Amino acid sequence: MKIKFINTSVISPKPNNNSSDIISGNFISGCLGGCWNTYCYASRYNPKNIYISLNQDSIINSCIQWSELQKWKKQPNQQDSTYYMVDIGCNTDMSLMQKYLNKAKKDDLFNSFNSGLMSILSQFDRTERLNTTFATKYSYLLNLDVNHLSKKPRVRISIMPEKSMKVLEPNTSTLQQRIKDCERLEKLGWEVHWNFSPVVMYDNWIKDYKELISNLPPRPCEVIFLTNHENSMIKANEEAKNYMKYSSEIKNSSGVMRYPIDEKRNAVESIKCFLEKNNFKVRYIF
């Protein structure tokens, strides 16, 4: 994997109706995370490089321009009741990449990525209508104190049963570390949600997920079932393929693989009911 610095041509945000209202242009595209060689959708078409955008201000200004065209005050939705949420890390893990960008010899841009990430968060914080969100599997690397910001940026800690996590997300934060980091990050001023993504269906998966949920402190959460791809199955090792293979029953012409619709519908309902029974606010599930 090579880190390359570019002026991205993808400036405009994309609409989203799941984790956020919009997805920003890529501050970073690519990742060195442990799930890169299993289910990661970002690796399906960009397997070799990590692209760091130099034109960050253009990305942020494009999001601001989008927000100025929206109705204000915002109509509350599943993304947020007050602000338009911007996912700033759709194609990377922002917590992990700070570790590598600190070594990238681009001090004029980042002065360590902690400074760069804080700059991004601060610029969005100064806007009236926007707030930020991103997901991470490396919660222990996120150490920014954001208590001075006027809005709590949202971090979504990705979570799955430990048995499948060890295979599908090697060399990431442990399950216990992710649970432990919730309270630490809240003290640092973050709004912390659970990110059950992806939910992977395998033999006895529902038992493992119910055990996991029963041992988590309730927090707002999102639930996204695995959308697999032929390219992911090609590069995954055999153990990972055994977890992911049940999504191979439905394909489209682009190579996307999903669970059978009736089976998934029942699974969604089962997980949703169990989460709500255990006092989790399900922001969305699909």
Side-chain angles (χ1 to χ4, degrees), residues 175-240:
L175 176 59
Q176 290 306 312
Q177 182 69 62
R178 298 186 203 191
I179 296 171
K180 180 180 176 182
D181 281 331
C182 283
E183 202 170 302
R184 178 182 64 82
L185 288 169
E186 286 179 334
K187 290 178 180 177
L188 288 173
W190 294 85
E191 178 186 323
V192 181
H193 289 198
W194 292 123
N195 178 40
F196 294 94
S197 174
V199 173
V200 180
M201 296 166 63
Y202 51 86
D203 288 341
N204 296 316
W205 71 274
I206 191 69
K207 175 179 177 291
D208 291 345
Y209 271 90
K210 286 183 175 181
E211 182 178 346
L212 170 66
I213 292 164
S214 297
N215 287 286
L216 291 177
R219 279 182 174 80
C221 66
E222 56 193 47
V223 188
I224 306 174
F225 281 72
L226 175 69
T227 297
N228 202 0
H229 195 279
E230 289 177 344
N231 291 348
S232 298
M233 293 297 285
I234 290 170
K235 60 187 175 62
N237 62 40
E238 289 303 314
E239 196 174 7

Side-chain angles (χ1 to χ4, degrees), residues 3 28 32-33 50 52 92-105 110 112-115 117 138 140-143 171-172:
I3 294 178
I28 305 171
L32 291 165
I50 295 171
I52 312 298
T92 195
D93 189 309
M94 298 295 269
S95 302
L96 172 66
M97 288 310 298
Q98 66 179 314
K99 173 181 176 182
Y100 292 94
L101 289 169
N102 286 345
K103 305 173 184 177
K105 307 302 182 185
F110 286 101
S112 95
F113 190 59
N114 272 330
S115 299
L117 179 56
Y138 293 86
Y140 74 97
L141 291 174
L142 188 58
N143 297 303
N171 304 314
T172 60

Side-chain angles (χ1 to χ4, degrees), residues 19-148:
S19 303
S20 59
D21 294 284
I22 55 172
I23 299 169
S24 72
N26 290 322
F27 295 99
I28 305 171
S29 180
C31 188
L32 291 165
C35 53
W36 188 256
N37 287 319
T38 58
Y39 60 74
C40 178
Y41 68 86
S43 69
R44 295 170 187 169
Y45 310 107
N46 173 30
K48 296 181 180 179
N49 297 312
I50 295 171
Y51 297 100
I52 312 298
S53 299
L54 298 171
N55 48 341
Q56 295 181 16
D57 288 347
S58 297
I59 295 171
I60 294 170
N61 288 336
S62 184
C63 293
I64 294 172
Q65 291 168 11
W66 175 88
S67 73
E68 290 171 345
L69 298 175
Q70 309 308 308
K71 181 180 178 180
W72 190 252
K73 300 267 189 195
K74 175 190 175 181
Q75 183 72 28
N77 60 9
Q78 66 182 14
Q79 286 72 44
D80 195 67
S81 59
T82 305
Y83 301 109
Y84 291 102
M85 300 301 296
V86 184
D87 193 328
I88 62 172
C90 185
N91 288 310
T92 195
D93 189 309
M94 298 295 269
S95 302
L96 172 66
M97 288 310 298
Q98 66 179 314
K99 173 181 176 182
Y100 292 94
L101 289 169
N102 286 345
K103 305 173 184 177
K105 307 302 182 185
K106 279 286 179 178
D107 292 342
D108 56 323
L109 173 64
F110 286 101
N111 190 25
S112 95
F113 190 59
N114 272 330
S115 299
L117 179 56
M118 182 58 80
S119 174
I120 294 168
L121 298 176
S122 296
Q123 288 185 70
F124 280 112
D125 188 63
R126 289 193 291 270
T127 68
E128 179 185 20
R129 303 182 179 191
L130 297 173
N131 199 7
T132 55
T133 180
F134 62 88
T136 184
K137 299 175 181 71
Y138 293 86
S139 52
Y140 74 97
L141 291 174
L142 188 58
N143 297 303
L144 285 180
D145 189 323
V146 294
N147 280 297
H148 64 286

